[in-house]
Amino acid sequence: MITIGQYLVACHLVDAHGAAERFEAFCYPAKQGRRNLSPRTFLIGSLLSIQTNGSMRYNDVHAVLTTAIPPFAMVELGVAVADRHEDGPRVARVCLTQDHLYNFTRLLRKRCRADGQAIEPATKDALLDVVNRIIRATLPTRPDGSSAYCVDETGVWAWNKGRKVPKAVKDRPEYLEDDITVEEVRKAQARRSVDPDGAWGRKTKKAGGSEAFFGYSMHGMVRAPRLDTGYGDCPGFG
């Protein structure tokens, strides 16, 4: 079960810096159409589902919203309707179905891709803005106003291996016909890849050394005191 505290934290994350409003504008730019599910409710349900199930599948999000959150939260999010009771309002009927979640995910796919083409840069920027606003809500305000950061990087394997440029082509560009460059070959292969956003790189092995991998670089960044002013009293910096 989701506690009241967990629910309130999820609400804070989507509301504190306007993530819910930006996501609403992304999903319904014309402010028209029938809405069986609020984008804000979807965000909150997704965060809680990730926290409890490690999943954003629509059936898991539906289960969290309709069975795991407190009854008052179901009513507040429009997931259920309440009737009057001497002890206060109680859930009378759950009105959110799995079809509502499925249709909402179809709407998202439609907004993200046009006719099966690659996601437009403006669309990526809009979704990244929503994510950044959620992340910003997790960061406490630094009392000293420091703008220093500590950054670390780790390699994350993609679910499918990428296609390599043939060694003969990589080493001897003159083998290419019709003046096609190596870069153009790589771009063509990326278009045929099932994971075109991934790239080849190197990562540290568990036992030491390095190995080639295909995937992504995940960066972890935390704010830190400036090293040139007043860090002596901070844990780990003294």
Side-chain angles (χ1 to χ4, degrees):
M1 294 295 292
I2 302 296
T3 66
I4 294 177
Q6 289 174 314
Y7 168 70
L8 294 178
V9 167
C11 291
H12 169 77
L13 294 180
V14 303
D15 292 335
H17 291 280
E21 288 82 356
R22 289 303 180 97
F23 191 52
E24 173 99 16
F26 173 79
C27 295
Y28 301 104
K31 297 183 179 180
Q32 296 177 352
R34 182 179 179 181
R35 307 182 189 184
N36 292 315
L37 177 66
S38 162
R40 177 178 181 270
T41 298
F42 178 80
L43 281 181
I44 292 173
S46 297
L47 290 175
L48 293 174
S49 181
I50 292 171
Q51 181 179 357
T52 57
N53 304 318
S55 166
M56 267 190 68
R57 293 181 299 182
Y58 72 87
N59 54 333
D60 290 328
V61 175
H62 177 265
V64 166
L65 289 173
T66 57
T67 63
I69 62 177
F72 83 90
M74 294 184 191
V75 176
E76 185 176 272
L77 295 177
V79 172
V81 294
D83 62 2
R84 295 182 178 180
H85 190 262
E86 60 182 7
D87 297 327
R90 63 181 181 182
V91 172
R93 176 173 58 88
V94 173
C95 54
L96 181 69
T97 68
Q98 286 196 13
D99 284 343
H100 293 150
L101 268 297
Y102 174 72
N103 290 334
F104 187 81
T105 59
R106 289 186 61 189
L107 168 69
L108 286 180
R109 287 196 295 269
K110 182 178 179 180
R111 291 286 294 117
C112 289
R113 293 183 180 273
D115 300 325
Q117 300 301 313
I119 299 178
E120 294 292 335
T123 300
K124 285 187 177 181
D125 290 342
L127 291 174
L128 184 61
D129 182 49
V130 174
V131 173
N132 286 338
R133 288 170 182 270
I134 293 175
I135 294 175
R136 196 181 308 161
T138 69
L139 302 175
T141 302
R142 291 194 61 83
D144 60 359
S146 171
S147 59
Y149 291 87
C150 293
V151 182
D152 191 20
E153 175 186 336
T154 184
V156 180
W157 289 88
W159 68 276
N160 191 72
K161 289 186 177 181
R163 294 177 171 85
K164 293 184 178 180
V165 176
K167 190 174 188 301
V169 172
K170 183 177 180 181
D171 296 340
R172 300 289 300 277
E174 61 269 22
Y175 287 168
L176 297 172
E177 299 178 358
D178 300 328
D179 296 326
I180 300 176
T181 65
V182 173
E183 185 62 27
E184 288 172 331
V185 171
R186 289 173 176 166
K187 289 181 178 179
Q189 290 180 332
R191 286 195 294 270
R192 295 196 300 270
S193 174
V194 294
D195 197 353
D197 290 329
W200 283 97
R202 301 198 67 82
K203 68 188 300 290
T204 303
K205 294 181 179 180
K206 298 294 184 183
S210 65
E211 61 180 336
F213 81 104
F214 182 80
Y216 304 88
S217 290
M218 182 172 66
H219 296 88
M221 182 168 62
V222 296
R223 287 183 287 186
R226 290 175 58 90
L227 297 181
D228 56 352
T229 57
Y231 63 88
D233 296 332
C234 296
F237 287 88

